[in-house]
């Protein structure tokens, strides 16, 4: 993830380092290259435009250009703006005092929802909670089996209900959690290959039935800037509180991850980099920005 972008940006800045003093022209041409590198990484063009405009304005400041190590300052500014783009501060998952807490996962089919549901359950279990997984994806063949297998692997109860009615399964899952003293219910919902009306209606119905404390949208990091349209549709119809970026271990160019915060205003809470239950990490914008710039 981000390998190409990282190489490109590092190349641009090592070019600047060789110059010592920097002129306005140097900044303008470096920013043109930054713009190209981000577009090639499939970052949304509006996001790129705003990012480059902000960064360039800060870099062209006389104090930066006349400073003793202008390139170092330029790199600091780019790191800072990248951190901003990724959300600036950490956005931890905070459970409310309601028991059981309900966390609903939404997203397209294949985005990694079922896997993320189990990973989140595993994480919460490690933190001393006793989660329950509700298998509300009744359309994708074997989704409930997959969740059950993952649940068994990590020792987390899975509620499947009648396997037919997602709203009833979500409600049944909450009741089952109460009956079995579980304090968090993670609701795995169905996705489709593309945003469609039925998926949105179903997500809305589950939302009104169980009133989740939070809704997290699972986004496949391979999605690139198409994520903008998908996120906008979910944002408008069911709304969500944060994002889990899955498949960060892949060789995606990273455009989706770099665009989503700016276009939705919603923070990335977790990134998932692997198929194993323990591969869900809290997301730290500053660390990611520093990693990209090497
Ligand atoms: P769902 O349809 O949204 O529930 O998606 P799944 O959870 O079934 O995930 C789709 C595929 O992506 C499965 O083969 C998962 O093993 C795989 N997957 C999910 N998350 C990750 C991840 O972070 N890294 C990798 N490499 N594969 C993942």
């Amino acid at each position: 993830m981000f390998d190409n972008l990282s190489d490109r940006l590092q190349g641009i800045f090592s070019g600047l380092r060789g110059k010592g003093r920097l002129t306005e022209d140097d900044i303008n041409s470096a920013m043109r290259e930054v713009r190209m590198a981000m577009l090639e990484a499939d970052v949304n063009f509006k996001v790129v435009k705003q990012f480059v405009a902000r960064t360039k304005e800060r870099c062209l400041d006389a104090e930066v250009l006349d400073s003793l190590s202008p390139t170092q300052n330029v790199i600091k500014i780019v790191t800072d703006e990248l951190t901003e783009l990724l959300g600036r501060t950490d956005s931890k998952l905070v459970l409310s005092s309601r028991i059981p807490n309900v966390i609903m996962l939404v997203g397209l089919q294949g985005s990694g929802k079922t896997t993320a549901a189990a990973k989140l359950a595993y994480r919460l279990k490690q933190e001393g909670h006793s989660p329950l997984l509700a298998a509300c994806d009744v359309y994708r063949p074997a989704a409930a089996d997959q969740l059950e297998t993952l649940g068994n692997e990590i020792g987390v109860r899975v509620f499947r209900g009648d396997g037919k009615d997602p709203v009833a399964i979500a409600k049944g899952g909450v009741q089952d959690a109460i009956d079995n003293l579980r304090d968090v219910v993670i609701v795995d919902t169905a996705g489709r290959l593309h945003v469609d009306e039925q998926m949105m209606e179903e997500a809305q119905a589950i939302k009104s039935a169980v009133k989740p404390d939070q809704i997290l949208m699972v986004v496949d990091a391979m999605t690139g800037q198409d994520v903008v349209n998908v996120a906008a549709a979910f944002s408008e119809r069911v709304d969500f509180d944060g994002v889990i970026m899955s498949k960060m271990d892949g060789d995606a160019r990273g455009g989706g991850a770099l665009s989503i915060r700016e276009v939705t205003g919603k923070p990335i809470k977790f990134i998932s980099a692997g198929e194993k239950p323990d591969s869900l990490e809290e997301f730290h914008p500053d660390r990611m920005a520093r990693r990209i710039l090497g």
Side-chain angles (χ1 to χ4, degrees), residues 108-115 119 140 146 246-247 249 272-275:
L108 294 182
Q109 183 179 320
S111 59
K113 271 188 312 302
T114 304
T115 318
K119 288 176 181 172
R140 183 162 64 83
Q146 182 189 345
S246 68
K247 309 188 197 177
D249 51 324
S272 138
E275 296 180 77

Side-chain angles (χ1 to χ4, degrees), residues 33-282:
E33 288 180 60
V34 169
R35 182 172 174 276
M36 281 308 296
M38 290 181 81
L39 288 173
E40 279 168 29
D42 206 18
V43 181
N44 174 270
F45 74 95
K46 279 191 194 151
V47 173
V48 176
K49 207 171 150 193
Q50 286 158 0
F51 173 85
V52 170
R54 280 195 302 262
T55 309
K56 190 158 127 181
E57 194 189 326
R58 286 180 65 188
C59 292
L60 285 173
D61 192 298
E63 267 184 41
V64 175
L65 293 180
D66 297 339
S67 64
L68 281 176
S69 41
T71 303
Q72 236 9 69
N73 285 327
V74 166
I75 295 171
K76 254 194 222 145
I77 292 168
V78 177
T79 313
D80 189 57
E81 288 295 337
L82 262 186
T83 307
E84 185 71 36
L85 198 63
L86 289 163
R88 173 69 57 199
T89 49
D90 297 358
S91 174
K92 286 185 188 294
L93 180 77
V94 181
L95 299 180
S96 74
S97 54
R98 181 167 80 132
I99 291 186
N101 245 248
V102 179
I103 302 173
M104 176 174 165
L105 300 188
V106 297
L108 294 182
Q109 183 179 320
S111 59
K113 271 188 312 302
T114 304
T115 318
K119 288 176 181 172
L120 190 57
Y122 178 79
R123 194 184 172 89
L124 289 168
K125 200 178 159 196
Q126 298 292 100
E127 290 170 0
H129 292 282
S130 44
L132 173 137
L133 289 157
C136 297
D137 183 353
V138 297
Y139 304 103
R140 183 162 64 83
D145 290 345
Q146 182 189 345
L147 197 62
E148 179 120 49
T149 308
L150 292 167
N152 285 338
E153 227 173 87
I154 57 174
V156 168
R157 187 178 173 84
V158 176
F159 182 81
R160 299 179 65 157
D162 67 358
K164 291 196 185 100
D165 176 355
V167 175
I169 300 169
K171 276 162 92 175
V174 173
Q175 189 55 49
D176 191 76
I178 295 169
D179 296 344
N180 290 283
L181 303 176
R182 310 285 140 157
D183 64 348
V184 188
V185 180
I186 299 167
V187 180
D188 181 27
T189 62
R192 304 280 196 283
L193 290 175
H194 301 284
V195 168
D196 76 21
E197 191 54 31
Q198 198 193 349
M199 167 169 68
M200 289 301 176
E201 278 174 10
E202 188 177 297
Q204 280 173 332
I206 295 175
K207 180 182 173 182
S208 20
V210 295
K211 310 219 165 13
D213 295 272
Q214 45 202 313
I215 302 180
L216 300 179
M217 180 173 157
V218 182
V219 176
D220 178 344
M222 306 287 278
T223 324
Q225 66 162 304
D226 278 353
V227 75
V228 172
N229 303 322
V230 179
F234 275 103
S235 185
E236 192 184 311
R237 297 298 298 278
V238 280
D239 205 8
F240 55 91
D241 305 289
V243 172
I244 299 179
M245 269 281 160
S246 68
K247 309 188 197 177
M248 292 288 285
D249 51 324
D251 56 2
R253 290 173 289 169
L258 281 170
S259 309
I260 195 142
R261 169 71 206 221
E262 185 100 347
V263 295
T264 64
K266 302 288 162 54
I268 302 176
K269 289 196 180 274
F270 294 104
I271 52 175
S272 138
E275 296 180 77
K276 295 242 159 60
D278 62 355
S279 54
L280 191 72
E281 298 164 32
E282 275 177 353

